[in-house]
Structure formats: structure tokens, C-alpha cells
Amino acid sequence: YLEALAKVDTIVMDKTGTITKGRPELVSLKNLSDKSDADIIAVLASLENKSEHPIAHAIVSYAKEKNIALLPVEQFEIIKGKGLTGTVNGAKYKVGSEKLARELGASFPSLEKETREGNTPVFLAAGNKVLAMVMVADALKENAKESVARLHKLGVKVVMLTGDDKNTAEYIAQLVGIDEVVAEVLPEDKLNLIKKLQAEGRVV
């Protein structure tokens, strides 16, 4: 492995927890429903409490900080690569990415500015209606920029491969000087991209 490492010309890395600290925080809430902000956070955090994703932890931590009690969740399911679904107080909800919200046919305000600035949107929907959107941001690791610069000095191309929002990924990549970004990919697509780079003759 060490001998092979010397021949590497492309490094593919994830974003969350690799370039960023992997400890995202909830930075804003846009409530589009007639529920109170506390009720929205209660539903959102209760559903996200069942997930292992760092973004889910950010939402649950926020609820705990605000002393918002979590509610029982029934019929919980993960929607692979997009979010999750579950029933709270007899009502069925979906939580997930912009991709999920679009697939539901929901209408919502443009988030381009927020996502361009490195925020990841999380949507709470019921039926095909978006009830709220929260923005979660993840700070860069202190040594991320320097590490990418060192890899460049070694002549290595750096590719970021993430399931997260495209604008967020591009913003983070720009901050640390990453060469190429592939975002909004499902786990199995990550493997396909590695295979594609290898097929091009790159040592990944």
C-alpha cells in the first residue's frame, strides 16, 4: 500500500468530517407553516433523533439547547440518500434535502444565496407541502486549506465527492482550493465515480 501511495495522482475525499469539522450547527429557521417555531423544531428534532447523520445531530442539539422536548416517532424509515420519514402525533412527515422537496412537487423560496455561502438546507414536509426549512452550517477544519495546498505541491489532484448540496460543496471547495467537486451523489454513485477515474488511468 505504501509503494502504491507514492504513485497516487488523484485523491478523492468526502466533505463532512474530512474538510469540515463534521459538527454542523443549526443557524436559521424559515417557518412556512401555521405551527410555532418550537413545534416545528420539536417535530424535526424528534425525527432526526433517529438518524446518525451529523446534520441530524445539529438539529437535535439545537432542540436540547432550547429545552424543546422530543416526541415519540412511529413508522420511521430512512429514504436512502435523501432523508427520512416518520409519523409524529398521528401526522406523517418527511425530512430531507432540496432534492427530496423537489420530488414531492413542493414549492419553496430560493435558497441559492444561503447554499452558496455554505449552508445546507433541511426541509420538513407534510404531503407535498414544505412546512419549514432549517439551515445547517459546518465550519472548516483548521488545517483543511493547508492540507489541500500540500497535496497540490505533490502534484496530486484533489476531488471532493459528497452527497450534500451542490452550492454548499462548491463554496467549501473554493475556500480550501479543491480542484473538482461532485455533489448530490448517492453512496453507490460515489463508488462509480472512483471507478470512472481509475478507468481514465488515474491512480486514486
Side-chain angles (χ1 to χ4, degrees):
Y1 281 110
L2 289 171
E3 284 171 5
L5 202 54
K7 300 186 184 83
V8 164
D9 59 17
T10 307
I11 285 189
V12 180
M13 53 180 74
D14 192 24
K15 176 177 78 68
T16 308
T18 305
I19 297 159
T20 62
K21 288 179 181 173
R23 286 194 306 276
E25 293 165 5
L26 193 153
V27 290
S28 71
L29 163 68
K30 259 189 187 144
N31 189 345
L32 307 174
S33 73
D34 49 12
K35 291 177 184 285
S36 70
D37 288 1
D39 284 349
I40 288 289
I41 294 294
V43 171
L44 199 50
S46 301
L47 290 159
E48 290 284 27
N49 194 38
K50 301 256 182 203
S51 167
E52 287 301 309
H53 198 283
I55 284 175
H57 291 303
I59 295 168
V60 175
S61 297
Y62 181 85
K64 284 177 181 166
E65 276 165 33
K66 301 282 179 194
N67 293 318
I68 296 169
L70 300 185
L71 307 162
V73 175
E74 292 166 340
Q75 294 161 304
F76 178 83
E77 269 177 67
I78 294 281
I79 305 164
K80 198 175 173 188
K82 292 172 197 164
L84 46 91
T85 178
T87 302
V88 180
N89 287 339
K92 191 171 182 174
Y93 297 99
K94 281 186 178 171
V95 175
S97 62
E98 189 166 347
K99 199 173 182 180
L100 179 75
R102 289 198 190 286
E103 281 178 14
L104 295 172
S107 59
F108 48 87
S110 168
L111 301 169
E112 202 175 326
K113 182 185 177 288
E114 287 94 335
T115 55
R116 235 196 350 256
E117 289 168 3
N119 296 298
T120 298
V122 178
F123 290 78
L124 174 67
N128 63 349
K129 190 170 185 286
V130 169
L131 303 179
M133 302 170 290
V134 294
M135 289 293 160
V136 174
D138 185 8
L140 286 179
K141 281 189 176 174
E142 287 82 358
N143 61 351
K145 195 171 180 179
E146 183 197 344
S147 301
V148 172
R150 284 181 170 190
L151 288 167
H152 282 152
K153 272 187 186 159
L154 295 169
V156 174
K157 178 180 176 170
V158 183
V159 180
M160 183 208 283
L161 188 51
T162 175
D164 288 350
D165 179 87
K166 184 172 178 280
N167 288 329
T168 304
E170 282 174 357
Y171 176 81
I172 298 284
Q174 206 177 341
L175 290 181
V176 296
I178 281 168
D179 305 299
E180 190 183 329
V181 181
V182 185
E184 298 178 14
V185 284
L186 295 171
E188 58 267 29
D189 297 332
K190 291 186 177 184
L191 179 62
N192 293 334
L193 186 101
I194 305 266
K195 285 179 175 169
K196 181 174 167 280
L197 289 167
Q198 287 170 332
E200 288 168 8
R202 304 196 74 89
V203 182
V204 182

